[in-house]
Amino acid sequence: VITLFDGAFGASANGTEHVIIHEIAHNWDSPPDNNPDTIDENIYELSGENVPLYFRTLSGWRSDLGAADVGDEIEADGQTYVKAGNATEDDNPWWYLKGTVFVSNYAKTSASEDFSDTLAAVVMGSDFANGGGTPFAPTAKRAWLNAWLNNV
């Protein structure tokens, strides 16, 4: 039995569904040792590609560009990257490609939040509570996760 308290999720049923699916999705993109470059527990593949690692390439996620303030930009390998995170995080190593579209503002805080919120958007469809993003625009990411779900 799982007990959920309404106050933890806000007022809407869609918001509750979003949080539950999002949190379950972390089971497939949570590095076991908290090292963002390690995903050895997630060895599942689609078309010969590791699902979460390939997903990360679709937003250009990198964790090797060093510390900076959220929103700072840096040029690397001929591309512009934006520092991910939010105001409450000091140790977020993630950067994404400038111009990347996300299903929610929260999805742009890290690679695993991008994966989890995009998976929630795929599962929920038009019921997804997007939180300020563009829920139907990142078609490559949605298509990749949808194809994986269809093959699970």
Side-chain angles (χ1 to χ4, degrees):
V1 173
I2 298 174
T3 303
L4 302 173
F5 298 94
D6 290 342
F9 300 102
S12 81
N14 286 353
T16 301
E17 181 181 358
H18 172 196
V19 169
I20 292 169
I21 294 168
H22 171 101
E23 294 305 324
I24 290 170
H26 279 302
N27 287 313
W28 295 293
D29 194 23
S30 287
D33 60 2
N34 235 2
N35 177 347
D37 295 320
T38 306
I39 305 187
D40 53 6
E41 73 176 12
N42 295 325
I43 57 172
Y44 46 91
E45 293 185 347
L46 177 65
S47 301
E49 297 283 350
N50 178 281
V51 170
L53 286 179
Y54 183 78
F55 178 87
R56 290 176 180 185
T57 68
L58 299 174
S59 296
W61 286 109
R62 295 178 65 160
S63 62
D64 62 342
L65 297 177
D69 292 330
V70 174
D72 283 357
E73 296 182 3
I74 191 171
E75 296 288 327
D77 302 322
Q79 303 282 340
T80 302
Y81 290 86
V82 179
K83 182 68 171 104
N86 60 46
T88 62
E89 294 177 307
D90 291 330
D91 60 348
N92 186 340
W94 292 108
W95 295 76
Y96 60 86
L97 274 174
K98 184 176 182 176
T100 299
V101 179
F102 295 93
V103 296
S104 68
N105 288 333
Y106 190 60
K108 61 172 74 167
T109 62
S110 74
S112 62
E113 301 305 349
D114 186 18
F115 183 94
S116 296
D117 247 17
T118 304
L119 187 65
V122 168
V123 171
M124 294 179 69
S126 62
D127 290 333
F128 179 70
N130 71 331
T134 310
F136 303 106
T139 54
K141 292 190 282 186
R142 293 172 60 85
W144 176 251
L145 291 181
N146 194 49
W148 169 63
L149 289 173
N150 285 335
N151 285 283
V152 175

